[in-house]
Amino acid sequence: SLRRMNAIRSVSTDDNVMVAEAGAILANVHDAAEAAGRRFPLSLAAKGSATIGGLVSTNAGGTQVLRFGTMRSLVLGIEAVLPDGRLYEGLSALRKDNRGYDLRQLLCGAEGTLGIVTAASLRLVAAPGSRAVAWAGLASPEDALRLLRHLEGEVGESIESFELVPDDALALVLKHIPGARAPLAGRHRWNVLIEAVAPRGAAPASESLEAALAGAFEAGLAEDAVIAASEAQAEALWGLREHISEAERQEGAARVVAFGHLGDGNIHFNVQPPAASDGPAWLSEHGEAVTALVYDLVTAAGGSISAEHGIGQMKLAELERTASPVQLAAMRALKDALDPKGIMNPGKLLRSH
Ligand SMILES: Cc1cc2nc3c(=O)[nH]c(=O)nc-3n(C[C@H](O)[C@H](O)[C@H](O)COP(=O)(O)OP(=O)(O)OC[C@H]3O[C@@H](n4cnc5c(N)ncnc54)[C@H](O)[C@@H]3O)c2cc1C
């Protein structure tokens, strides 16, 4: 484990770059950026435990992918021990570097199969001046997408999060999570949680978001909406979104809940076993078939069987079944070239020889 290799080596506000060691915890990276008047714009529920090494190696996403991309677009440089024991010193955070293959991008999302990441140069951005969080009720996922495009047209890049929540999922949260309150007076088949930010010196984010949402009503894109009037209300709205998985677990009844990061095209699709069944037994009997069914649909639509969390061992067979043979062969060739003895995280992402 590299958890004790957790130093923030440097923060440069001139370059907007932080160099953090692999064991640095994401929440500490946020704090160090904030202390320098900057922001590291990647956040996820596991921020109190997720390390930079793990985030790089799983190419983690989080709630701001819509605006800032995944870890791949935030890692400007990497230091790593390669399988032959040599140190790759690639921390220079050049925005432009066309000297051949990009080892940094190869190591991002490699799940530790090509080397051990020891540190990364991370892109920082200006700290926001204000943020606004809104909840809107609407008729369909298609309307949600139209609403997103409308808001982007009105307030541009300030939209950072756009999360889809079906009424079923909201109902589960209201039923099971203590203190959860319905965000709107009525119920709507679909909902979206929207977060927008504004830079320092600009009008508050809530003003431009409110104006843009008013336009959306006129265009018939949203049925109702509310903008959080305080930080506590903003957190309460985010809480409704973040407790969906927990509420699903508590309900335990057979149902499909599809929700999540509509803005970046990543919908979580959770299928729960029937209430009366023995959960683990149901999963072992039907889990594979349900998963294969969903992955087939996703693949047919040109999607990915892993938008987050990677492949590991669990999705290995499904990767082999659904990925293009050309891609698999190229990955195998890279692995064999860099790690001919197969000593780096054997059996993850690619099978051991
Ligand atoms: C509650 C929760 C919410 C999450 N939400 C999101 C989300 O919204 N979006 C998203 O994309 N992901 C999400 N994740 C997944 C998350 O990205 C990863 O779990 C996390 O980033 C991994 O960090 P870790 O330090 O725990 O790594 P680990 O789980 O320890 O490792 C993950 C992988 O990286 C490899 N690895 C770890 N460190 C190194 C290193 N130094 N060098 C080489 N390989 C290494 C490991 O071998 C393993 O294959 C979530 C996870 C949890 C538990």
Side-chain angles (χ1 to χ4, degrees):
S1 164
L2 275 77
R3 284 197 174 251
R4 287 169 61 196
M5 198 173 167
N6 58 8
I8 306 291
R9 288 192 196 160
S10 62
V11 178
S12 165
T13 49
D14 286 343
D15 294 335
N16 270 347
V17 172
M18 175 191 296
V19 177
E21 291 185 345
I25 301 287
L26 180 58
N28 296 340
V29 166
H30 288 162
D31 291 347
E34 200 181 326
R38 298 289 186 272
R39 175 164 68 130
F40 178 58
L42 183 144
S43 191
L44 37 79
K47 67 184 174 195
S49 64
T51 62
I52 289 302
L55 293 162
V56 169
S57 302
T58 57
N59 183 29
T63 49
Q64 292 141 339
V65 174
L66 176 59
R67 181 168 182 198
F68 296 105
T70 61
M71 206 61 185
R72 278 206 166 105
S73 52
L74 295 168
V75 172
L76 298 172
I78 275 191
E79 178 190 87
V81 178
L82 298 183
D84 64 5
R86 287 184 297 168
L87 186 66
Y88 168 63
E89 294 177 90
L91 284 175
S92 64
L94 299 172
R95 260 59 170 194
K96 298 175 100 172
D97 182 7
N98 284 337
R99 292 173 291 176
Y101 301 145
D102 192 338
L103 290 186
R104 166 191 57 146
Q105 290 294 357
L106 214 48
L107 289 159
C108 274
E111 300 182 32
T113 58
L114 298 179
I116 297 172
V117 175
T118 49
S121 300
L122 305 172
R123 179 181 153 216
L124 302 179
V125 299
S130 63
R131 75 162 179 157
V133 176
W135 188 279
L138 23 79
S140 66
E142 289 79 8
D143 276 356
L145 197 55
R146 279 185 215 112
L147 175 63
L148 172 61
R149 298 299 173 231
H150 167 83
L151 295 177
E152 284 173 339
E154 295 296 309
V155 294
E157 285 219 321
S158 71
I159 304 292
E160 294 203 346
S161 303
F162 196 85
E163 301 282 315
L164 184 69
V165 179
D167 184 54
D168 281 0
L170 176 61
L172 289 183
V173 173
L174 297 177
K175 179 175 168 190
H176 292 290
I177 304 299
R181 306 246 303 258
L184 301 171
R187 296 293 279 274
H188 305 268
R189 287 197 64 195
W190 293 87
N191 305 268
V192 287
L193 174 77
I194 307 158
E195 176 157 331
V197 302
R200 286 183 192 143
S206 55
E207 280 181 19
S208 49
L209 186 58
E210 193 174 344
L213 280 170
F217 282 128
E218 281 166 26
L221 297 176
E223 296 170 346
D224 194 6
V226 63
I227 297 185
S230 65
E231 196 53 30
Q233 274 182 22
E235 287 307 313
L237 292 180
W238 265 111
L240 296 173
R241 156 67 183 85
E242 284 175 348
H243 282 104
I244 292 175
S245 299
E246 174 56 28
E248 273 184 88
R249 264 190 294 277
Q250 291 194 30
E251 177 76 3
R255 65 170 73 223
V256 169
V257 177
F259 67 99
H261 320 294
L262 183 74
D264 59 52
N266 170 204
I267 300 296
H268 295 293
F269 195 89
N270 294 348
V271 181
Q272 295 290 332
S277 70
D278 168 0
W282 186 90
L283 260 186
S284 69
E285 193 181 338
H286 302 289
E288 259 180 42
V290 171
T291 301
L293 201 70
V294 175
Y295 287 172
D296 284 346
L297 288 170
V298 163
T299 307
S304 163
I305 67 161
S306 177
E308 293 177 340
H309 301 242
I311 297 297
Q313 301 173 90
M314 222 171 82
K315 290 188 174 177
L316 188 46
E318 284 295 327
L319 178 73
E320 290 169 340
R321 192 174 70 80
T322 55
S324 99
V326 178
Q327 182 193 350
L328 288 174
M331 280 171 51
R332 167 57 66 192
L334 283 166
K335 169 76 174 168
D336 289 348
L338 287 172
D339 182 18
K341 294 184 183 148
I343 56 173
M344 290 286 159
N345 239 357
K348 316 278 168 54
L349 188 57
L350 290 164
R351 264 176 223 289
S352 302
H353 280 302

